[in-house]
Amino acid sequence: MSMTLAASVETPSRFRLIAAVSIGNALEYFDLTLFTFFAVTIGKLVFPTQAPGTQILLSLGIYGTGYCARPLGGLVIGAYGDRRGRKAAVNLTLVLMAVGTALIGLTPTYEQAGLLAPFVVLAGRLLQGFSAGGETGASTTLLAESAPADERGFFASWQSASQGLAVMLGAGVVWLLSVSLSPDIMASWGWRLPFLCGIGIVPVGLYLRRAVEETLEPAPAKAAAAHSPVGDVVRLHWSSVLWALLGMLGANASYVILNLYMPTYDVRELGLSPASTSAAAMVGGAFMLLFSPIGGVLTDRFGRKTFLVLSRVLVIVLTYPAFLLLTAAPSTTGLLLIIAVMSAVQGLGSGFFIALTENFPKNVRVTGFSSVYALGVMLSGGFGQLIVTWLIEVTGSKLAPAFYVIAIGLASLVGILNLNYRTGREETGA
């Protein structure tokens, strides 16, 4: 390992390095959590229709449309990170994410601005999606390349842990507001507060990242001019993209449905209170935060593939019984237990982040990671909430989300089994 990489682990401290790099990812999932909690409220405020079912579908449709901007962001920001550096890329995504979040928090209602209202929300989600498309790839790459070779899984696992932390904090904020403000105030302006407060993390993130060392060594001017990260990924690494994409589908589908969609599902389909669903989301986030680093350590000790397969199989096997128990006897206690178990299992699969990072050589790593991650998230998660809501409406079965998670999980196992694992090899390996 070079002196630069070694220094980046020691100064700033490990905690500061992990916090600085992961903070943009945390902000992304904080905002996504907020949107899912307030999807019903946003639908009522920005769409003219009086049919509640249509409003929630339109609101989730806008939420899903934001994911469509992710592949473009993954390619553009990924290539930027492979040319200009990982640190430049993560700082750019943090600012873009904040602007998109501010647009949602400041959106006028339909009564105030007519059809402009849903377009403002859409613009905010598209900007968030574009930013998120490059954020996770650039920041995970920076974490992995800054870590000692035998701790890359642990360092990269904090991307998954940061998602859990973000969900926990987002749910906590929503719970605090729900018990502090009346329903009328929440519907009027209270829902905007978390979005606007989330922007405050940007200056903190930029400050922490000042001391983070760049891990991409500048290429000679002639080589840099001829280097096309996107072209190289398509021409030379298309098989890696295919298998990694399949693996990504299952990881994100289970997260979106079991962690992000649950608040809407529990209130709308099971009749549980917003306070209980907020508590469940906090528990889920806490268990992801706890078990993701454990999964990272285990993947460093025993290999990537073992724990990726184990985690994915457990999610597939446990999802149907979880939904069956929850729908048969809806209760806050049952919800808390189910979310805790499923989140812990997902956390153990955090090794996918380092496996995806190591699947591409250093000169195209951010582009390869970002494009796979963004496309996978769009396909399996972007419209996942919309799809399962529609499936419930069409089939009349409250178990539809379970079948969605299981079907995509089975397909993703094929990708995991065929990934090109490079555990222990030098990060610049082909």
Side-chain angles (χ1 to χ4, degrees), residues 294-371:
I294 293 174
V297 170
L298 291 173
T299 198
D300 283 327
R301 296 279 182 88
F302 304 106
R304 319 299 191 208
K305 192 173 186 178
T306 300
F307 284 91
L308 286 183
V309 172
L310 174 63
S311 174
R312 198 61 50 86
V313 169
L314 286 174
V315 169
I316 293 170
V317 171
L318 294 176
T319 295
Y320 180 77
F323 273 88
L324 190 63
L325 290 172
L326 191 57
T327 55
S331 69
T332 300
T333 301
L335 175 63
L336 293 176
L337 290 173
I338 288 170
I339 291 297
V341 171
M342 298 305 295
S343 297
V345 170
Q346 291 181 87
L348 290 177
S350 63
F352 186 78
F353 282 94
I354 189 60
L356 183 53
T357 304
E358 293 172 336
N359 210 54
F360 297 97
K362 192 169 186 177
N363 66 323
V364 295
R365 181 164 293 141
V366 182
T367 304
F369 186 118
S370 296
S371 57

Side-chain angles (χ1 to χ4, degrees), residues 8 109 240:
S8 69
T109 65
S240 293

